Amino acid sequence: MAADEENLIRIAGPLGPADVPHLSERVAAARHGPHGGDVICDVAAVTTADLPTVDAVARLHLAARRAGGRIRLRNPTPALLALLGLVGLVELLGLVVEMEGHPEQREPPGRVQEAVEAGDPAL
């Protein structure tokens, strides 16, 4: 099993306050596992994008920080990613988001060049 897979936690269903202690323990255990490093939280199966879910993600990030690392969210739904961005968690926490089949966040697709035509108004 690859080091990334040993630090992988799959999270499903709606998340609420009652889920946080168990998930925080899993994050800390994965962080202190044989491979250390970032804990990858695959949230593709999280079915809701609401404030309790955002709170759970923030608390998981805090648990990882207390354990000396960070979490990386893999495959959040567009609604969850938008909500995390709206409340500022992506920027505030420096949250790393991985999307399978998509370029890394804030990275333009390869071979894209922008050109400015003479006479174009300044922005």
Side-chain angles (χ1 to χ4, degrees), residues 8-92:
L8 176 67
I9 298 173
R10 295 186 193 281
I11 301 173
L15 295 178
D19 300 312
V20 172
H22 172 69
L23 290 173
S24 294
E25 289 173 9
R26 289 178 60 196
V27 165
R31 173 70 183 103
H32 290 304
H35 295 286
D38 293 345
V39 177
I40 301 167
C41 296
D42 189 326
V43 293
V46 171
T47 57
T48 57
D50 55 13
L51 291 179
T53 302
V54 168
D55 181 60
V57 169
R59 291 179 185 277
L60 292 178
H61 182 76
L62 181 60
R65 295 293 298 208
R66 287 181 177 156
R70 64 183 180 170
I71 64 169
R72 301 170 90 185
L73 289 185
R74 181 177 286 173
N75 297 321
T77 63
L80 179 56
L81 184 57
L83 186 56
L84 290 169
L86 182 66
V87 299
L89 284 186
V90 174
E91 292 80 17
L92 179 68

